[in-house]
Amino acid sequence: MKRTGLFTRIIRYARPHAHLLAAAAVLLAVATISDVLVPVVIQRSVDREILDGWVRLRQTYEGELRKGAERVRSDGWTYFREEQVDRLSRPFRAERTAEGTLDLRRFLFVDAAAVQGSGVEAFGSAGTRAIVLRDHVEALEAPLRSRLLTHNVSRLSRYVLALLVLLAAGLAAGFGQMYLTALAGQRVMKDLRLELFSHTMRQALRFLNHQPVGKLVTRVTNDVETVNELFTTVLADLVRNIALMVAVVGTLFALNARLASFVVLSLVPVALVTLLFRRRAREAFRRVRAAVSAVNAFLSEYISGMAIVQVFVQQERSRNTFDEKNSALLKANLTEMYVFATFRPITEFLSSISIAVIIFFGARLLEAEAVSVGVLIAYTNLIRRFYMPVMRISEQFTVLQSALAGGERIFELLDTRDVIPETGNGAIPSPAQGLIEFDEVSFAYRPDEPVIRNLSFVAEPATLTAIVGYTGSGKTTLINLLTRLWDADDGAIRVDGVPILSLSRRSLRTTVQQIQQDVFLFADTIRANIALGAEVPDDRIWDACEAVQIAEAIRALPDGLSTVVHEGGSNLSAGQRQLISFARVLVHDPPILVLDEATASIDSETERLLQHAVQTVAGGRTTLAIAHRLSTIRHADQILVLSHGEIVQRGTHGELVEQDGLYATLYRLQFANLPRDSR
Amino acid sequence: MHGAGTPVFEHLATLLPLLARYRWLYVLGISALIVTSGGQLLIPLFTGRAVDILLSSDEPARAVLPTLARLLGVAIVVGVSRFVWRLGIHGASRRIETDLRRSLFHHLTVLSPDYYDDVRTGDLMARATNDMNAVRMATGMAFVAFFDGLFMTVAILSILIARNARLTLLTVLPLPVITVLIILMGRRVRHLFATVQEGFARLSEQAQEVFSGIRVVKSFAKERFFLRRFASANDHYQNQNMVLVRLWGLFFPIVAFLSGVTVVILLWVGGKAIIAGTLTPGDFVATLAYLQMLIWPMLGAGFTVNMLQRGAASVERINKVLDAQPTIANGVEPRVPRTTTGIEVKNLSFAFGEATVLEDISFSLADGATLGIIGRTGSGKSTLVGTFLRTVDPPDGTVFVDGEDVRRWDLDALRHRFGYVPQETFLFSATIIENISFARPDADEAEVIAVGTTAGIDRDVAEFPEGWNTLVGERGVTLSGGQKQRIALARALLADPQILVMDDSLSAVDSETEERILASLRKTRAGKSTVIVSNRVSVIRDSDLILVLEGGRVTQQGRHEELFKRPGLYQTLARIQQIEATERER
């Protein structure tokens, strides 16, 4: 998958939350502006109020001043701010100073009333303010100085206020931006997770059976988390850093295009280093990830299997294997550390070099009078601000990369479509009878390897059909075709005369329900495991439990029906778990029951309970059973003997035993394992 | 939750031996760190001087060169020292993490089975991963933040105070607030983060469950219900995340705000002072520059406290495992008897806490004989066989193997004498060959195939695409319970043990295969002892000695022929199966 395509695909999920992101962008702009403005305001307040100072030039030369520079005219002089002196060329400055038309002494505008009696000489006046020499003011005692400079102090207080407002705005906008970006990211993740979960759940079993559960879980959880990084780092940090960088570069060019091109040129080695770093970092990162998962997989496996390790006295060997993996992890970690430990110092060093280069070329330009000192000072400050985002951007690329890799895995799963198609929306006419018909049904998992061949049979309502045969004879497949975990290639399967392909999947599955060999119980209460989300009153659950004789055992549990089934079902025996799954079927009361009996032998008493339960559950409904138990077979209304996907014999137990066919052989093999003396 | 003070340092103190092991790395790293910090303070000084030269000199380009050379010199030193401190401190913390993880696993291999009954795998995994990370932070980044912060704070404060003490004290006022804020927020954030993790775990669990039980979900057409359930956990998780964001999102803006406030104070107080002539502009500019530099050390101080607290909590959790003592271990002078004389049990009683599991059991099994143990679920069968190889510790003088009390045996030698097939099969995610040759990795393929055939797994293996090299477990083929049991049997057989113990380990094997396995066992195990636990009469029928266990007591013992005639549980069990047999005859 192409990275760019991937990116736009992830962004597509953000579209519904565009309003959030737009608001976040506005707040980001506000926060960034307040960030950039704070030093500007400080600079202004220092230059204009705290270190206020004006020089003067004869009005005739006023044209030499920069356009728009602040100026005050008085007595034929033009007063302008000291910082503007740099803008005048050196020869001009030297000549005018010599001729007395440029006066570089520093003047101040002070309160005219306060000058009276202060002993300070007034050089002129502008409105209500008198023009005095700063040196004269500085010679005064503090209280008097403050009185003279009340204007500066009150203007300073305005700057301080403005600064506080800016900081507060930055605080609010910064938080707001972070919150909204996180909210958008969280919502995108929520949507993605839900879509992934429901998409995965919808896939056909033939697909899911071949996927490790852990892998699917990782897609839905961890991989989605990495995509979140895109929102929190890329959309917030990266955008902000790029914006800052562009702003700084813009300022640099505005100040001096020639110096700015030096700065931009100095980016070339940084870019090269970053490129090299990215490749090595990715490689190192991959190695660390592989080593971490190797160590973790080993640990979790050996912790679970420690009893086996100890019983077989393999502690020493497992320690050695662990040490190897652990050392490999250390090595990978150290390699990654070297990569990062080289990158940061090198880029920092490059930034120092470019400062030195800028100062040197700046000095040359200064000699050539092509740049002012003020601009140079601004440059040395700005370069630091320029390199900060550059370094952060290059470090964020690694995060970006792993986020994109996570996205790639997610979309790979989302692009998998292996769904049993919804071919109809019909329903079985109510009340359902439970008539099953297989009509010339064929099926193959792989072409040329038919598993079911031209198979036909009818199961009458409320009868028990037992299916027997060797492993691989197609017993399980037959059931999977009826429940539409797979679709038959040929022929038709009908329930109550309706082809199952024209039924909605839901209608089919509520009609035909299955009890599996390996019972699966959710880590939830027994009640929830029986009801599976349906609204079922407790007495109906109890009735079902009584019917399969598990009620007593459940009552003996501390929390009764509310007992939570342990992970792996360790607080219930295998037999009890099986009985609970029978109760589950009774509560859902399907007209057709499909039973895949367990081969596992349980102790004889549980076995009897199970047999009883099967009879209870099968009573009154059509039952199709893959049978391993004598009682099931004996009570069957018909037995189908399967071999290589075909029915080779059919009839009742009594009939089949008489024939010297496959059934008789199977029967001897499977049920002959009884005490010799009792034969 | 850990407060400040002793407990944090008490727990961290247990790391001292590890810290001492890498002391030179730390010395190197911390020295380099201080050089780096010092150098960083110098660089703005040089740029400042360069600017001064530009202002005053007539030939600025030449005059500025020596200063620039010095600037680059310092930059090189800083670059190198920056690399070195990372190598030293991060290198040390990575090594400590590795060593600690190694000790943890080594200790886990020593702990007895009962330890694992009470501890969940996930819990131990968390210690080996999350807690290790916390220790690494405490022994790495915390050091960096602490020493860097300390050096910078001391250096900058002394420069500032030397220039203007009153102004410094006034302006740095909001800075410690940052430190306190981090410590307080850190605590709350950690708590919220734990809730978020929990929510994440709940989501994973649900996904795990639904994907594992997908057959049930599909066959009962319950997709919508489970989707709704997942959606609500999903919403909940998002909300928990946003609660965390609400707090965490405030953090950096508040830090920026507080550091801005110090500048505002400086601007107002310092500005007025300059106007009034009580402060020089130079002091003002320097204070402004250095104040910005103080922010990171203040952040660092807060982070250090958090990292140390977290690290201490993690060290405590790790130590809890490391301090656990194995309940089953070698005695003072472990013995290894040379002769093989069988198993003898004398008046063995055993209890888990209050619950009596075994009561006054006595029997003796000759070397080479077969022992069958039958009884209902929970009658104590597994516990009894556990005492033979001391996965369960019997009292002194009750269980003897080859004439020696198992408690005086050398534990490894004792277990070498056994081959054990557990009730709950555990296979490693490795190939079938690797699983079978687990106890003897050097075994050649022919031997593996031979025991595989005895265990009756050969026909199944023939159908696997990769044969004996088929990978089992999540990443490989999914085996049926019966297949797993037979591989586990082959694993136990490979060492050709003196005593084979099968703890109800053919329960998932179909009857035909079971019969075949028992027959080939009889052949290959001639002259060696076999202990078979089962609840099926058919499996133990041929044993030389059969024990019938009921509620932890041996109610009957003898051979099948004798027991079958006497009334009792054995006869009942046999009769139940007889009914089935006669049903068949009809």
Side-chain angles (χ1 to χ4, degrees):
Chain A
M1 195 182 300
K2 269 185 127 168
R3 280 288 152 95
T4 46
L6 183 68
F7 200 76
T8 50
R9 225 175 141 179
I10 295 173
I11 293 301
R12 207 173 303 150
Y13 281 84
R15 200 163 296 156
H17 314 294
H19 59 291
L20 286 181
L21 291 171
V26 170
L27 290 176
L28 176 65
V30 172
T32 314
I33 289 171
S34 105
D35 246 24
V36 174
L37 278 186
V38 165
V40 173
V41 171
I42 293 171
Q43 203 54 47
R44 283 266 165 111
S45 61
V46 170
D47 283 351
R48 305 250 158 119
E49 310 306 335
I50 296 172
L51 300 177
D52 198 12
W54 300 68
V55 291
R56 59 184 186 177
L57 179 70
R58 277 290 167 196
Q59 261 178 27
T60 9
Y61 298 108
E62 204 188 290
E64 298 288 323
L65 289 176
R66 193 171 63 90
K67 244 185 240 160
E70 217 180 331
R71 59 196 78 182
V72 179
R73 297 194 188 95
S74 174
D75 291 339
W77 289 94
T78 297
Y79 291 83
F80 59 97
R81 287 195 182 274
E82 208 185 339
E83 68 206 32
Q84 295 293 329
V85 175
D86 282 349
R87 304 271 166 165
L88 303 170
S89 73
R90 272 177 194 235
F92 177 83
R93 273 178 349 218
E95 268 173 51
R96 297 291 96 79
T97 314
E99 128 200 332
T101 48
L102 175 64
D103 184 354
L104 287 176
R105 290 178 300 172
R106 279 174 297 177
F107 295 91
L108 288 173
F109 294 87
V110 299
D111 195 24
V115 175
Q116 310 266 305
S118 66
V120 175
E121 179 193 353
F123 285 75
S125 65
T128 60
R129 279 182 284 168
I131 301 166
V132 296
L133 261 181
R134 186 164 150 171
D135 285 349
H136 292 175
V137 176
E138 279 176 1
L140 297 172
E141 288 297 310
L144 204 52
R145 275 178 74 161
S146 302
R147 257 205 12 240
L148 279 173
L149 296 170
T150 41
H151 284 291
N152 290 77
V153 174
S154 75
R155 276 197 305 262
L156 178 63
S157 71
R158 255 179 272 152
Y159 273 109
V160 165
L161 211 66
L163 207 52
L164 274 177
V165 169
L166 263 185
L167 287 173
L171 174 69
F175 172 71
Q177 176 264 322
M178 195 132 165
Y179 185 82
L180 292 180
T181 321
L183 189 61
Q186 289 291 337
R187 289 203 176 154
V188 169
M189 285 208 297
K190 193 172 87 173
D191 297 347
L192 253 180
R193 267 195 302 263
L194 203 59
E195 187 178 337
L196 268 171
F197 182 80
S198 88
H199 175 87
T200 308
M201 205 164 53
R202 274 202 313 272
Q203 299 310 302
L205 279 180
R206 59 176 171 239
F207 168 74
L208 293 173
N209 280 346
H210 291 97
Q211 300 293 317
V213 172
K215 191 174 119 185
L216 295 175
V217 174
T218 308
R219 295 291 167 279
V220 178
T221 55
N222 289 322
D223 287 341
V224 174
E225 276 318 292
T226 60
V227 172
N228 185 38
E229 298 282 338
L230 275 186
F231 289 87
T232 48
T233 55
V234 178
L235 284 181
D237 258 20
L238 204 62
V239 168
R240 183 192 179 122
N241 280 323
I242 290 175
L244 267 176
M245 207 174 82
V246 169
V248 172
V249 170
T251 318
L252 290 178
F253 271 96
L255 283 175
N256 188 306
R258 278 172 75 182
L259 272 184
S261 33
F262 280 126
V263 176
V264 173
L265 266 181
S266 81
L267 261 189
V268 173
V270 176
L272 286 178
V273 168
T274 306
L275 225 63
L276 192 73
F277 164 76
R278 264 180 60 195
R279 195 171 315 147
R280 295 197 47 193
R282 196 166 40 196
E283 180 58 36
F285 190 63
R286 194 174 296 150
R287 271 189 58 191
V288 167
R289 262 184 64 151
V292 165
S293 51
V295 164
N296 288 352
F298 182 91
L299 266 176
S300 89
E301 192 171 78
Y302 275 71
I303 290 173
S304 330
M306 192 54 76
I308 293 299
V309 172
Q310 292 179 343
V311 158
F312 286 98
V313 199
Q314 295 300 311
Q315 295 94 321
E316 188 64 38
R317 188 161 69 96
S318 65
R319 284 197 286 257
N320 291 339
T321 316
F322 179 77
D323 288 354
E324 271 168 40
K325 291 183 194 289
N326 201 23
S327 304
L329 174 58
L330 175 64
K331 226 177 122 188
N333 273 327
L334 290 181
T335 312
E336 192 196 28
M337 188 192 81
Y338 290 136
V339 173
F340 279 89
T342 339
F343 176 67
R344 193 61 199 273
I346 286 181
T347 42
E348 293 253 1
F349 180 63
L350 286 176
S351 91
S352 291
I353 288 185
S354 62
I355 287 177
V357 169
I358 293 300
I359 292 177
F360 181 72
F361 281 102
R364 298 280 295 272
L365 290 177
L366 200 65
E367 284 172 19
E369 313 250 336
V371 70
S372 76
V373 176
V375 169
L376 263 186
I377 295 175
Y379 254 80
T380 51
N381 284 330
L382 281 170
I383 288 172
R384 291 254 172 233
R385 290 188 156 255
F386 170 71
Y387 267 88
M388 212 103 88
V390 168
M391 276 185 275
R392 303 216 33 198
I393 289 168
S394 38
E395 277 170 9
Q396 278 159 357
F397 265 115
T398 334
V399 181
L400 183 63
Q401 219 128 36
S402 86
L404 287 178
E408 210 167 324
R409 290 192 291 271
I410 288 175
F411 289 122
E412 198 184 306
L413 179 56
L414 278 182
D415 288 341
T416 312
R417 289 206 176 272
D418 195 347
V419 185
I420 294 280
E422 184 80 288
T423 45
N425 53 11
I428 289 164
S430 175
Q433 302 301 309
L435 171 73
I436 306 170
E437 294 166 278
F438 270 62
D439 192 357
E440 298 282 313
V441 173
S442 295
F443 176 75
Y445 291 105
R446 275 165 292 199
D448 307 331
E449 290 176 42
V451 183
I452 299 288
R453 312 165 200 237
N454 288 330
L455 188 141
S456 302
F457 73 90
V458 176
E460 297 291 341
T463 59
L464 169 62
T465 301
I467 305 166
V468 296
Y470 285 119
T471 309
S473 57
K475 292 177 292 189
T476 309
T477 309
L478 193 112
I479 282 172
N480 287 340
L481 292 179
L482 175 62
T483 52
R484 276 200 80 195
L485 297 181
W486 281 279
D487 273 339
D489 299 331
D490 247 323
I493 302 170
R494 288 184 289 272
V495 170
D496 282 359
V498 187
I500 58 171
L501 285 177
S502 62
L503 290 171
S504 71
R505 283 198 307 260
R506 199 177 161 72
S507 157
L508 175 68
R509 287 189 182 149
T510 45
T511 311
V512 181
Q513 279 176 2
Q514 199 176 354
I515 297 182
Q516 266 105 19
Q517 261 203 37
D518 34 347
V519 180
F520 187 87
L521 295 185
F522 296 92
D524 205 333
T525 60
I526 293 178
R527 182 185 293 107
N529 265 294
I530 292 175
L532 287 180
E535 294 282 334
V536 186
D538 268 12
D539 37 323
R540 253 190 74 202
I541 294 182
W542 278 121
D543 287 347
C545 293
E546 296 285 1
V548 298
Q549 299 183 338
I550 183 70
E552 203 179 319
I554 294 175
R555 274 195 204 97
L557 291 168
D559 297 319
L561 281 179
S562 303
T563 305
V564 174
V565 177
H566 285 186
E567 199 184 320
S570 61
N571 55 347
L572 293 168
S573 73
Q576 288 170 332
R577 290 158 58 83
Q578 187 71 258
L579 290 175
I580 286 177
S581 78
F582 287 161
R584 191 189 263 169
V585 170
L586 274 185
V587 162
H588 286 85
D589 196 23
I592 297 173
L593 174 67
V594 169
L595 184 68
D596 193 352
E597 279 185 351
T599 40
S601 66
I602 349 177
D603 63 75
S604 309
E605 273 145 82
T606 316
E607 180 104 32
R608 301 200 114 198
L609 278 179
L610 282 184
Q611 283 172 11
H612 169 86
V614 169
Q615 278 161 29
T616 310
V617 175
R621 61 189 104 233
T622 317
T623 305
L624 215 57
I626 295 180
H628 302 289
R629 291 198 181 86
L630 203 57
S631 59
T632 310
I633 296 176
R634 276 186 48 79
H635 293 121
D637 296 294
Q638 69 171 333
I639 297 170
L640 306 175
V641 184
L642 239 62
S643 174
H644 300 291
E646 287 171 311
I647 297 175
V648 290
Q649 282 183 293
R650 64 179 89 198
T652 61
H653 175 66
E655 294 162 10
L656 292 176
V657 177
E658 298 305 314
Q659 304 168 13
D660 190 21
L662 180 61
Y663 183 77
T665 319
L666 260 174
Y667 181 65
R668 267 196 305 278
L669 274 174
Q670 285 196 0
F671 304 100
N673 186 28
L674 292 163
R676 259 177 231 150
D677 298 272
S678 53
R679 279 185 196 156
Chain B
M1 187 115 302
H2 281 271
T6 44
V8 170
F9 290 102
E10 241 169 62
H11 294 307
L12 288 175
T14 56
L15 291 177
L16 278 178
L18 280 172
L19 291 172
R21 189 180 297 168
Y22 299 111
R23 59 186 175 279
W24 295 117
L25 277 178
Y26 278 113
V27 168
L28 182 74
I30 291 168
S31 322
L33 184 65
I34 289 171
V35 171
T36 312
S37 308
Q40 265 173 302
L41 286 177
L42 283 179
I43 289 184
L45 227 65
F46 284 123
T47 35
R49 191 175 303 162
V51 170
D52 285 345
I53 293 171
L54 293 187
L55 281 171
S56 57
S57 169
D58 289 335
E59 273 194 321
R62 186 183 306 164
V64 86
L65 270 179
T67 312
L68 291 183
R70 247 167 280 157
L71 173 77
L72 286 184
V74 172
I76 289 176
V77 171
V78 167
V80 171
S81 62
R82 210 177 241 140
F83 177 74
V84 171
W85 78 247
R86 287 192 156 98
L87 237 58
I89 297 177
H90 287 333
S93 67
R94 283 285 182 197
R95 288 182 170 88
I96 287 176
E97 179 200 3
T98 306
D99 290 356
L100 203 57
R101 203 188 288 112
R102 180 173 184 273
S103 316
L104 186 72
F105 182 73
H106 283 212
H107 192 69
L108 284 176
T109 64
V110 175
L111 290 174
S112 311
D114 57 343
Y115 181 81
Y116 291 94
D117 291 343
D118 304 333
V119 185
R120 282 179 309 161
T121 308
D123 212 29
L124 288 174
M125 283 303 293
R127 284 167 215 226
T129 53
N130 294 343
D131 286 334
M132 288 296 163
N133 286 344
V135 170
R136 190 183 71 236
M137 294 298 269
T139 55
M141 276 318 287
F143 268 84
V144 176
F146 178 74
F147 282 100
D148 193 38
L150 188 69
F151 177 80
M152 295 289 265
T153 312
V154 170
I156 292 168
L157 278 184
S158 40
I159 295 173
L160 285 181
I161 288 174
R163 282 185 180 246
N164 191 321
R166 204 181 72 91
L167 183 66
T168 306
L169 294 181
L170 213 58
T171 47
V172 300
L173 222 55
L175 290 183
V177 178
I178 295 181
T179 311
V180 173
L181 191 76
I182 294 173
I183 296 172
L184 291 181
M185 272 176 89
R187 227 170 266 178
R188 181 94 187 106
V189 162
R190 217 146 57 218
H191 171 72
L192 289 178
F193 192 69
T195 350
V196 167
Q197 291 286 84
E198 226 168 82
F200 185 77
R202 198 145 334 129
L203 269 189
S204 303
E205 267 163 33
Q206 282 208 13
Q208 168 93 29
E209 230 181 34
V210 169
F211 294 155
S212 315
I214 190 76
R215 282 189 84 103
V216 176
V217 173
K218 280 187 185 281
S219 48
F220 284 86
K222 292 292 183 183
E223 285 96 335
R224 279 186 223 166
F225 166 67
F226 284 101
L227 189 61
R228 267 203 310 278
R229 211 170 70 134
F230 184 80
S232 95
N234 201 15
D235 288 349
H236 190 60
Y237 178 57
Q238 189 215 324
N239 292 337
Q240 285 171 324
N241 260 307
M242 289 316 293
V243 173
L244 178 64
V245 168
R246 231 166 275 158
L247 183 66
W248 186 237
L250 264 178
F251 183 72
F252 286 104
I254 282 189
V255 168
F257 180 76
L258 285 177
S259 65
V261 167
T262 65
V263 176
V264 171
I265 295 177
L266 176 72
L267 201 63
W268 181 237
V269 178
K272 279 200 302 186
I274 294 175
I275 290 173
T278 51
L279 182 76
T280 69
D283 282 352
F284 177 83
V285 174
T287 313
L288 186 63
Y290 285 120
L291 267 185
Q292 305 294 318
M293 287 192 178
L294 262 182
I295 291 163
W296 153 241
M298 291 299 127
L299 279 171
F303 285 135
T304 307
V305 172
N306 284 346
M307 283 187 277
L308 289 181
Q309 281 183 349
R310 237 190 222 189
S314 291
V315 168
E316 188 190 359
R317 276 194 292 271
I318 293 168
N319 280 343
K320 241 182 220 155
V321 180
L322 291 179
D323 292 342
Q325 289 304 315
T327 47
I328 300 173
N330 275 343
V332 199
E333 268 178 61
R335 297 185 198 177
V336 183
R338 303 208 168 256
T339 52
T340 53
T341 58
I343 300 172
E344 195 176 5
V345 172
K346 293 179 191 163
N347 309 104
L348 166 66
S349 293
F350 184 83
F352 280 124
E354 296 286 291
T356 307
V357 183
L358 299 175
E359 217 180 326
D360 198 27
I361 292 178
S362 299
F363 69 89
S364 115
L365 182 77
D367 184 37
T370 305
L371 174 68
I373 303 174
I374 194 166
R376 289 192 178 96
T377 314
S379 57
K381 301 181 300 258
S382 292
T383 310
L384 176 60
V385 294
T387 61
F388 302 166
L389 53 161
R390 255 191 110 192
T391 52
V392 173
D393 219 11
D396 275 322
T398 53
V399 179
F400 297 82
V401 169
D402 294 335
E404 186 65 69
D405 187 343
V406 290
R407 293 179 60 99
R408 305 182 71 163
W409 263 84
D410 176 84
L411 201 54
D412 287 354
L414 175 70
R415 287 174 181 169
H416 271 309
R417 213 151 274 198
F418 283 92
Y420 179 69
V421 195
Q423 196 170 18
E424 299 281 333
T425 315
F426 181 88
L427 297 180
F428 294 92
S429 7
T431 64
I432 294 175
I433 282 223
E434 284 166 330
N435 265 294
I436 294 178
S437 59
F438 181 68
R440 270 187 51 208
D442 56 322
D444 60 42
E445 205 171 315
E447 288 177 277
V448 171
I449 293 172
V451 290
T453 309
T454 309
I457 188 70
D458 51 329
R459 287 191 204 171
D460 306 70
V461 168
E463 283 175 37
F464 294 148
E466 314 276 326
W468 294 95
N469 287 314
T470 302
L471 210 57
V472 305
E474 270 234 322
R475 279 170 296 141
V477 299
T478 317
L479 298 175
S480 75
Q483 288 170 330
K484 283 189 213 162
Q485 286 187 335
R486 283 173 281 153
I487 292 176
L489 174 60
R491 172 171 69 191
L493 286 172
L494 185 68
D496 194 21
Q498 188 59 34
I499 307 168
L500 176 70
V501 176
M502 297 167 68
D503 188 358
D504 199 12
S505 42
L506 292 177
S507 62
V509 174
D510 66 76
S511 323
E512 176 210 352
T513 317
E514 179 190 278
E515 184 61 38
R516 223 173 42 175
I517 295 170
L518 289 174
S520 60
L521 277 182
R522 272 192 290 272
K523 233 184 296 162
T524 53
R525 298 282 306 155
K528 301 247 163 73
S529 301
T530 304
V531 177
I532 306 180
V533 173
S534 181
N535 45 46
R536 267 187 289 181
V537 171
S538 60
V539 182
I540 55 147
R541 183 184 54 210
D542 294 324
S543 305
D544 299 305
L545 174 66
I546 294 170
L547 302 180
V548 183
L549 270 185
E550 281 179 89
R553 303 182 70 100
V554 174
T555 48
Q556 290 178 287
Q557 56 175 300
R559 297 182 66 86
H560 170 76
E561 295 74 22
E562 307 152 29
L563 294 176
F564 185 65
K565 284 179 204 130
R566 276 183 259 143
L569 180 64
Y570 191 83
Q571 197 182 50
T572 315
L573 289 173
R575 285 243 169 99
I576 289 172
Q577 292 167 34
Q578 193 178 27
I579 291 167
E580 289 173 359
T582 45
E583 270 188 344
R584 178 176 57 86
E585 295 304 324
R586 263 193 272 153

